């Protein structure tokens, strides 16, 4: 089974440590419909986005392909 992840985030502002008020979204797919994807791979993709310094993740939605 594959997953679809929707990230809701804020971009960094002009000064370090500040973020813009506008909440943007980005959707990515992990794996394919017939492919088995482990939760470790899914967690790695999410943690990679959380580690970025130029965006602030405010919410994540995960949908599963079965």
């Amino acid at each position: 089974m594959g997953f679809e992840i929707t990230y809701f985030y804020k971009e960094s502002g002009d000064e370090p440590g500040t973020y813009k008020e506008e909440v943007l979204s980005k959707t990515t797919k992990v794996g394919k419909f017939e492919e088995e994807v482990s939760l470790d791979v899914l967690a790695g993709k999410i943690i990679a986005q959380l580690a970025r310094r130029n965006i602030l993740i405010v919410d994540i939605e995960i949908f599963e392909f079965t």
Side-chain angles (χ1 to χ4, degrees):
M1 83 189 112
F3 298 95
E4 181 178 275
I5 308 169
T6 303
Y7 302 100
F8 296 95
Y9 64 95
K10 295 181 180 182
E11 291 183 332
S12 62
D14 296 330
E15 296 181 22
T18 62
Y19 296 94
K20 298 177 182 175
E21 291 298 317
E22 182 182 9
V23 177
L24 305 170
S25 65
K26 176 184 176 183
T27 301
T28 60
K29 293 183 180 178
V30 180
K32 296 181 181 175
F33 179 73
E34 65 276 348
E35 181 181 350
E36 281 295 320
V37 177
S38 69
L39 292 178
D40 294 338
V41 173
L42 177 66
K45 298 285 185 182
I46 293 171
I47 291 171
Q49 293 297 316
L50 290 172
R52 293 178 58 184
R53 293 178 185 233
N54 63 338
I55 62 172
L56 174 67
I57 303 289
V58 294
D59 195 15
I60 299 173
E61 292 180 353
I62 303 170
F63 298 100
E64 179 179 53
F65 300 131
T66 55

